DNA sequence: TTGTAAATGAGACACGTGCCTCAAAACAAG
DNA sequence: CTTGTTTTGAGGCACGTGTCTCATTTACAA
């Protein structure tokens, strides 16, 4: 029974001894204080490597009685998807409280980049450790994010993507999401030909555009017998939605599939059930909400493309904390998956 | 700008003051030492509620310089699924090291319940904090798990389910997984009728049985035009697999779909490609591995039903830690999802 | 009332790190 | 060499909790 010796982790004291300096100097190096000769810095750093020293974060946070205060800047509009997110934020707070993390939701006007950037400008490191920002991409917001980071507040685009943020955001690959919707529609539809209605809230947003791109890619490539119609934009107004949806249905008697791209499926789907209650049409929507779950169960939806909102929230928190602590986060854990929900795996 | 006051969390000192006792007594109550009058215990407990006191785990662990040592008891057989798990265990170790958690893999002979229970009997709280056990259900193993817990070692069934463990295990709902496979097969197959071949490693295991049950449920209910054949058991032997698969193909010329139920898809799928390379047959397998990913990309598989191995591992670690710390874990986070992978959302 | 056991309190030290002060040592420039 | 500056060391206190010891108080039975 070869039980490995349980070597305790080296401490700053061990470090000091190994580097032949005092604990005070070790502290100076570890916390980047100035007034240390380069040679000494090097000596300490190589001792760190040699011993495999990692600072004990709990002890450090205890000593400076540090706590993390994160803000989620979310759009005002209260659709079910956002409700889920808010719910998961408070849920996450309970489990992250052991790490002294607290979270707060701040509602922003997603259509007013100026007010968003003004709000972000008010945040300072003393009161807020980090922000997760869900807002459409605009130059103002991007600048505000950069300035936040310079000021020492961690900032992270959340769900809504921002160009040039590349790896540095939390959310799904929307192109893959659209492609997945197309694949499912294509394979679920048995008709030899027909049209597919695509409903969006607005095609202005980067997310919608990417979804549509991925959708069209797959449609053109693999299902040329199906005709994807131009995206209908509801602008979140139900009268308008009703009008354009019923017009489209009238003008295209061969509709065999419907792709609801927006994160709020309730409106369009309810209208569809009013206008065309029969329907052997294949229907796919986005995001898990109480409504889409119900629709899946009752067979009013055939599939849902979703991102796990709980995971989104926890991932954002972990990554904000990672930025603050200057630690890497685990990529494989933080990747948000494009989930497919059927009646059987809700 | 209503900045909330950042009230620091109450400490044991505050508790003592509030309860009108000394810190020593607070400690006696908090850590369940005896020799405290019931009345005093009550007084402290109500003070805890009143103040909303939660002990600072990092400080506590620092004080007793506690660290967690978890063992993953995994089958010997080295299929790709297990390799993924092992990989994710070492990956998880890096991110959990900040919590002073270390993990170790111990290989067990999954077909020898006696040796498994003998191994588990050797574990004691001094060297091992908790074990995640992946082993088929047997009375011996179940007993060994119970005895572990009595001895103060956290124990958690892992991936392989055990009856009566109910909520207390880490893994997917295999019935739902089977049902999901059936739904996808049913909807992907456009033929008006035909047979479906079902390949398993063995139907002895609880997991296989549950998958088959869920599969048949959906098949019978929603796709009566398809005929699911009896499960073929490969016993992990490739000669046998080859024989029974080709026989089945010969005897059923109308096969339109294949469901590979085992966690190792490579064997059966390779054989299929040898025996029947053309194939417009719809094929679905389990578990994400380098092999199944490749097969999805090349179109040799139409879908994969998977459980996120990284999530499985991290969930097990969190839950073991939860048991040790006597804290609740977040159900919504620990639920392992039945994932559907297509070419587009790998 | 006394004796004894049970219950509680007071205090110290430890865990690993941050942060501060003050003195000592090393170094540079004149 | 002296003077002034930079670099380093020694040491202490703090963070919140665990775990001792020893003294003191309280409760209860004789």
């Amino acid at each position: 029974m070869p039980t490995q010796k349980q070597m305790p982790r080296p401490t700053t004291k061990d470090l000091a001894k190994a580097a032949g300096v005092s604990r005070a100097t070790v502290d100076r190096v570890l916390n980047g204080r100035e007034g240390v000769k380069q040679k000494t810095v090097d000596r300490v750093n190589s001792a760190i490597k040699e011993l495999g020293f990692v600072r004990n974060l709990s002890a450090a946070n205890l000593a400076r009685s540090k706590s993390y205060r994160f803000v989620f800047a979310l759009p005002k509009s209260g659709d079910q998807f956002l409700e889920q997110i808010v719910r998961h934020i408070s849920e996450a707070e309970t489990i992250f409280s052991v790490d002294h993390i607290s979270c707060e939701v701040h509602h922003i006007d997603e259509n007013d980049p100026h007010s968003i950037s003004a709000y972000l400008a008010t945040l300072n490191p003393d009161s807020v450790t980090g922000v997760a920002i869900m807002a459409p991409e605009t130059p103002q917001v991007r600048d505000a994010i950069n300035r936040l980071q310079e000021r020492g507040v961690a900032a992270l685009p959340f769900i809504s993507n921002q160009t040039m943020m590349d790896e540095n955001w939390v959310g799904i690959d929307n192109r893959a999401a659209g492609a997945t919707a197309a694949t499912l529609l294509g394979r679920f539809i048995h008709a030899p030909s027909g049209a597919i209605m695509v409903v969006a809230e607005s095609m202005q947003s980067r997310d919608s555009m990417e979804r549509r791109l991925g959708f069209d890619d797959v449609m053109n490539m693999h299902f040329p017998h199906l005709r994807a119609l131009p995206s209908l934009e509801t602008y979140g107004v139900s009268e308008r939605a009703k009008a354009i949806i019923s017009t489209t249905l009238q003008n295209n008697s061969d509709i065999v599939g419907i792709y609801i791209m927006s994160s709020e499926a309730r409106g369009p789907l309810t209208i569809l059930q009013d206008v065309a209650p029969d329907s052997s049409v294949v229907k796919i929507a986005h995001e898990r909400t109480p409504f889409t779950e119900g629709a899946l169960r009752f067979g009013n939806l055939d599939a849902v493309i979703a991102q796990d909102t709980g995971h989104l929230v926890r991932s954002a928190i972990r990554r904000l904390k990672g930025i603050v602590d200057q630690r890497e986060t685990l990529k494989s854990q933080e990747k948000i998956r494009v989930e497919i929900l059927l009646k059987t795996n809700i």
Side-chain angles (χ1 to χ4, degrees), chain A:
Chain A
M1 182 106 321
T3 43
Q4 278 164 23
K5 228 172 292 175
Q6 192 67 303
M7 272 296 285
R9 295 207 302 202
T11 71
T12 48
K13 221 177 271 179
D14 302 324
L15 242 190
K17 204 179 301 170
V21 299
S22 72
R23 225 178 62 75
T25 300
V26 166
D27 171 67
R28 292 182 181 111
V29 174
L30 280 182
N31 297 298
R33 305 181 214 289
E34 49 189 12
V36 186
K37 260 200 299 189
Q38 187 55 44
K39 225 182 118 182
T40 316
V41 174
D42 295 341
R43 215 139 41 106
V44 173
N45 280 329
S46 59
I48 290 179
K49 277 205 176 155
E50 215 174 299
L51 297 189
F53 171 86
V54 251
R55 90 155 24 69
N56 184 333
L57 235 190
S58 349
N61 284 347
L62 176 61
R64 46 182 148 200
S65 47
K66 169 177 195 151
S67 61
Y68 305 81
R69 188 165 183 72
F70 296 141
V71 172
F72 282 81
L74 305 180
K76 284 202 171 77
S77 80
D79 63 24
Q80 287 195 324
F81 179 59
L82 273 171
E83 275 172 28
Q84 298 286 319
I85 290 179
V86 172
R87 193 169 63 75
H88 277 115
I89 291 173
S90 54
E91 206 184 66
E93 240 198 326
T94 66
I95 61 160
F96 281 112
S97 69
V98 295
D99 302 310
H100 300 107
I101 293 176
S102 65
C103 299
E104 186 188 332
V105 173
H106 179 90
H107 286 286
I108 56 180
D109 184 347
E110 74 265 36
N111 296 318
D112 184 355
H114 180 66
S115 80
I116 297 176
S117 106
Y119 167 68
L120 295 181
T122 67
L123 303 178
N124 70 316
D126 303 325
S127 55
V128 170
T129 328
V131 214
I133 303 152
M134 178 172 173
E137 176 185 32
T138 59
Q140 287 109 313
V141 171
R142 200 162 59 241
D143 286 359
I145 290 179
N146 286 333
R147 261 175 279 133
L148 270 175
Q149 285 165 335
E150 285 162 15
R151 232 179 313 139
V153 177
L156 195 60
F158 185 61
I159 300 177
S160 289
N161 199 348
Q162 311 277 331
T163 337
M164 304 310 295
M165 281 300 179
D166 218 39
E167 288 285 286
N168 241 4
W169 74 296
V170 175
I172 55 169
D173 176 347
N174 278 304
R175 188 144 183 167
T180 303
T183 307
L184 284 176
L185 273 171
R187 301 211 61 165
F188 279 6
I189 292 171
H190 290 207
S193 75
I196 293 178
M197 179 160 94
V198 179
V199 185
E201 194 169 313
S202 146
M203 289 308 287
Q204 304 285 352
S205 80
R206 189 182 162 78
D207 306 353
S208 303
M209 280 170 14
E210 287 181 347
R211 282 179 188 176
R212 179 78 214 212
L213 280 176
F215 186 80
D216 286 342
D217 272 359
V218 170
M219 273 296 160
N220 295 333
M221 176 99 75
H222 296 297
F223 307 104
H225 62 290
L226 298 175
R227 200 172 84 256
L229 302 175
S231 312
L232 303 180
E233 299 179 272
T234 67
Y235 300 143
V237 182
S238 67
E239 291 78 30
R240 180 183 162 85
K242 190 156 194 169
I244 55 182
I245 288 176
S246 41
T247 307
T248 307
L249 281 173
Q250 281 168 7
N251 295 349
N252 301 273
S253 56
D254 64 339
I255 286 182
V256 290
I258 297 175
Y259 175 32
I260 301 175
M261 239 168 49
S262 51
S263 67
E264 180 64 29
R266 186 161 39 173
L269 200 54
T270 316
I271 289 168
L272 270 168
Q273 275 158 8
D274 289 355
V275 179
D278 87 276
S279 209
S280 58
V281 170
V282 176
K283 298 192 262 332
I284 292 187
H286 270 270
E287 310 312 351
R288 170 204 292 269
T289 63
F291 177 80
T292 55
E293 280 190 15
L296 273 177
R297 289 219 172 78
F298 285 120
N300 294 334
L301 270 178
D302 295 273
V304 166
I305 311 293
Q307 39 192 338
D308 184 327
T309 43
H311 191 195
L312 282 167
V313 167
R314 291 186 295 268
S315 182
I317 295 176
R318 278 192 300 261
R319 293 186 53 175
L320 284 172
K321 182 167 192 296
I323 296 172
V324 176
D325 296 341
Q326 313 208 54
R327 288 190 315 112
E328 285 289 315
T329 47
L330 190 54
K331 264 199 185 158
S332 71
Q333 182 174 21
E334 307 316 346
K335 160 147 195 191
I336 311 294
R337 316 243 32 241
V338 174
E339 294 186 348
I340 300 171
L341 303 182
L342 304 179
K343 191 185 192 169
T344 47
N345 73 329
I346 292 180

